[in-house]
Amino acid sequence: MAPIDLRSDTVTLPPPDMRRAMAAAELGDDVFGEDPTVNRLEQRAARLTGKEAAVMVASGTMGNLLGILSIARSGQEVITEAGSHVFMSEGGGAATLGGIQLRPLVSDHGVLHPDAVVAAIRPTDDIHQPLTAAICVEDTHNRAGGVVWPLEALAAIRRVADEHGLAVHMDGARVFNAAVALGRPVAEIAAAADTVTFCLSKGLACPVGSVLCGSAEVIARARRWRKMVGGGWRQAGILAAAGLWALEHMIERLAEDHANAQTLAEGLAELPGIEIDLGTVQTNIVRFRLLDRDPRAFVADCRTRGLLGGAQGAAGVRFVTHYGIEATDVQRALEVCSDVLAA
Ligand code: TLP
């Protein structure tokens, strides 16, 4: 039997109809701006997020990097959350390639408090300090367990940014999960941000791709950065076709992943030796702590029984539900966890 793979929603495979759409895609050279399918995806992404323009990129990491490089300059600082993906898991790209310093702030489950952000903004009249250029938010927040930013919290960050002349970048790798959880259009969520990246290759099941959206001016800068980091691609319409198909067919079904994550979390909460904050399980990510076990050993024992997950830090484990995971898989996953904990 194939293992139940809950390591990430990045493991999703393209559905047969998505593959057919890819095979049928009309293509051109995207570096010349001549791939009609890429152009269509970028227009669609801009419309969906309520922005003027968009650029398709290889990954969420590239989208965040180009977004930050396009709204901040060398020597400036970007405020972000201490557990955010840009700060923890993107190789220090903004510092390496842009000379931009990230300023991590501790938060309440990934949601930055506006007062903490205000307190972190650098004074402009002190020549010792770098200047603050932007604020980065992550919605949904991965390390917090797929937590959705309340719209009021986003609006509060927007107000702070406007009061201090700062830009806002949203790492919306899973912003469609946030939109489905809130029952609101993505544009309403992205309204708080100047630039927003979303991923096609996670819950939306595309093989490759993310899109960075923003004003025409900022996206023009991002295109220059994309070319510089080797991200100018040619007949990328074959990938954009997957994205267009996904935006049409894969968003609403994310609710199934959320329901499966909920069932999984509630089942795990019943098991001895597991500590889980059910309040953080709002989308498709389930994070929990093991009270008396090494998470790596737990994950290895699950693997031998056909369940894949991820160990995180000293006590944490992460499971992610996604396209291809059914309610019956969740029941089997719970049985495996129960067996491993009882062994
Ligand atoms: N997250 C991945 C990897 O870190 C392993 C995962 O499995 O969760 N922003 C957020 C919030 C992300 O969770 C990720 C990827 C990215 C950006 C980066 O996307 P990619 O992997 O496309 O560069």
Side-chain angles (χ1 to χ4, degrees), residues 59-62 64-65 68 80-94 96 102 104 138 141-144 171 173-174 202 287 312 318:
S59 64
T61 301
M62 192 187 275
N64 286 333
L65 177 66
I68 291 173
T80 188
E81 197 277 330
S84 63
H85 201 274
V86 282
F87 183 63
M88 296 298 292
S89 306
E90 299 187 7
T96 310
L102 297 185
E138 183 176 312
H141 195 288
N142 183 348
R143 273 180 187 251
D171 175 356
R174 297 186 179 82
K202 298 193 168 66
R287 286 187 185 268
Q312 317 264 311
R318 183 183 82 156

Side-chain angles (χ1 to χ4, degrees), residues 134-219:
I135 307 163
C136 186
V137 297
E138 183 176 312
D139 194 9
T140 66
H141 195 288
N142 183 348
R143 273 180 187 251
V147 165
V148 179
W149 274 67
L151 289 175
E152 313 79 69
L154 286 173
I157 295 298
R158 180 73 261 170
R159 276 195 297 278
V160 169
D162 289 342
E163 278 160 21
H164 294 84
L166 308 178
V168 176
H169 173 71
M170 179 179 286
D171 175 356
R174 297 186 179 82
V175 74
F176 290 104
N177 294 86
V180 166
L182 290 175
R184 308 300 310 167
V186 139
E188 220 171 290
I189 297 170
D194 298 276
T195 50
V196 55
T197 312
F198 67 79
C199 291
L200 296 163
S201 58
K202 298 193 168 66
L204 301 187
C206 294
V208 178
S210 296
V211 188
L212 173 68
C213 310
S215 70
E217 189 193 335
V218 167
I219 296 304

Side-chain angles (χ1 to χ4, degrees), residues 8-319:
S8 181
D9 44 10
T10 59
V11 302
T12 42
L13 299 175
D17 280 349
M18 182 188 284
R19 287 185 184 237
R20 278 189 274 277
M22 294 171 75
E26 218 189 318
L27 304 175
D29 190 326
D30 182 51
V31 172
F32 295 142
E34 290 175 4
D35 189 300
T37 312
V38 171
N39 293 343
R40 274 207 296 135
L41 173 68
E42 291 176 346
Q43 283 156 14
R44 176 110 186 81
R47 247 199 336 273
L48 263 177
T49 55
K51 306 296 175 211
E52 241 180 336
V55 58
M56 181 186 169
V57 295
S59 64
T61 301
M62 192 187 275
N64 286 333
L65 177 66
L66 270 47
I68 291 173
L69 292 176
S70 302
I71 57 174
R73 283 197 319 275
S74 174
Q76 292 186 325
E77 188 165 79
V78 173
I79 293 170
T80 188
E81 197 277 330
S84 63
H85 201 274
V86 282
F87 183 63
M88 296 298 292
S89 306
E90 299 187 7
T96 310
L97 298 166
I100 296 158
Q101 170 165 301
L102 297 185
R103 173 88 174 270
L105 301 186
V106 174
S107 74
D108 176 20
H109 299 296
V111 176
L112 290 168
H113 196 287
D115 294 347
V117 173
V118 170
I121 295 171
R122 305 282 191 167
T124 51
D125 57 358
D126 179 354
I127 60 165
H128 300 83
Q129 301 195 34
L131 290 170
T132 309
I135 307 163
C136 186
V137 297
E138 183 176 312
D139 194 9
T140 66
H141 195 288
N142 183 348
R143 273 180 187 251
V147 165
V148 179
W149 274 67
L151 289 175
E152 313 79 69
L154 286 173
I157 295 298
R158 180 73 261 170
R159 276 195 297 278
V160 169
D162 289 342
E163 278 160 21
H164 294 84
L166 308 178
V168 176
H169 173 71
M170 179 179 286
D171 175 356
R174 297 186 179 82
V175 74
F176 290 104
N177 294 86
V180 166
L182 290 175
R184 308 300 310 167
V186 139
E188 220 171 290
I189 297 170
D194 298 276
T195 50
V196 55
T197 312
F198 67 79
C199 291
L200 296 163
S201 58
K202 298 193 168 66
L204 301 187
C206 294
V208 178
S210 296
V211 188
L212 173 68
C213 310
S215 70
E217 189 193 335
V218 167
I219 296 304
R221 280 207 288 277
R223 276 187 198 283
R224 190 169 276 276
W225 281 115
R226 185 184 68 165
K227 193 75 187 78
M228 208 187 298
V229 298
W233 42 16
R234 304 296 178 174
Q235 286 72 32
I238 214 156
L239 300 171
L244 280 164
W245 193 90
L247 293 178
E248 195 73 31
H249 298 98
M250 297 299 283
I251 295 175
E252 276 169 30
R253 64 149 308 285
L254 293 172
E256 288 172 41
D257 302 340
H258 299 178
N260 283 334
Q262 200 61 46
T263 308
L264 181 61
E266 283 165 15
L268 287 167
E270 301 288 309
L271 299 180
I274 283 184
E275 185 182 71
I276 182 165
D277 178 354
L278 289 175
T280 65
V281 185
Q282 303 172 8
T283 53
N284 67 327
I285 298 178
V286 179
R287 286 187 185 268
F288 56 96
R289 291 166 61 79
L290 298 170
L291 296 177
D292 50 15
R293 224 171 255 256
D294 174 41
R296 282 176 302 269
F298 175 82
V299 164
D301 289 347
C302 287
R303 180 179 272 270
T304 61
R305 292 167 165 84
L307 172 64
L308 311 186
Q312 317 264 311
V317 178
R318 183 183 82 156
F319 287 141

